[in-house]
């Protein structure tokens, strides 16, 4: 098992304990940057500066629809609110 000392060292390095959450946070930050730079959230697939963002946005829209239909989805109300704040 991991020691408290190692945990503290990893936290000092901003270690991501939850990789999925860290990836979601990175993408929403990229979406905020994209919106600021281009004025909208219409990210094309394979954008040169944000190559994975277009597919991520497409997936968020799909999961939002699933959530609204009451179907299984990775979308949460908090995530939907965060996306609404971006635009």
């Amino acid at each position: 098992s991991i020691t408290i000392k190692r945990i503290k060292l990893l936290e000092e390095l901003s270690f991501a304990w939850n990789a999925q959450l860290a990836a979601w946070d990175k993408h929403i930050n990229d979406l905020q940057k994209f919106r600021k730079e281009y004025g909208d959230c219409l990210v094309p697939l394979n954008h040169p500066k944000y190559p994975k963002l277009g597919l991520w946005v497409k997936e968020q829209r799909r999961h939002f629809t699933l959530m609204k239909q009451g179907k299984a989805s990775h979308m949460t109300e908090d995530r939907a609110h965060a996306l609404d704040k971006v635009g």
Side-chain angles (χ1 to χ4, degrees), residues 2 4 14-15 17 24 28 42 59 62 69 74 78 81 87:
I2 192 167
I4 298 295
S14 299
F15 181 78
W17 295 102
W24 201 90
I28 194 132
L42 302 173
E59 282 297 298
R62 185 175 74 83
Q69 293 172 347
H74 296 289
D78 287 342
H81 179 70

Side-chain angles (χ1 to χ4, degrees), residues 7-70:
I7 290 171
K8 287 181 181 179
L9 287 170
L10 289 169
E11 287 178 346
E12 286 173 12
L13 297 171
S14 299
F15 181 78
W17 295 102
N18 182 327
Q20 287 178 333
L21 181 59
W24 201 90
D25 288 343
K26 180 198 178 309
H27 287 305
I28 194 132
N29 287 332
D30 284 348
L31 184 59
Q32 290 168 335
K33 291 175 193 173
F34 183 93
R35 167 111 173 142
K36 187 174 183 180
E37 189 172 341
Y38 296 98
D40 61 43
C41 294
L42 302 173
V43 185
L45 297 177
N46 301 317
H47 187 279
K49 188 172 179 182
Y50 303 99
K52 296 181 180 181
L53 188 59
L55 181 59
W56 182 82
V57 169
K58 180 180 175 182
E59 282 297 298
Q60 299 317 299
R61 289 183 178 128
R62 185 175 74 83
H63 279 280
F64 179 80
T65 300
L66 290 171
M67 180 186 75
K68 288 299 178 189
Q69 293 172 347

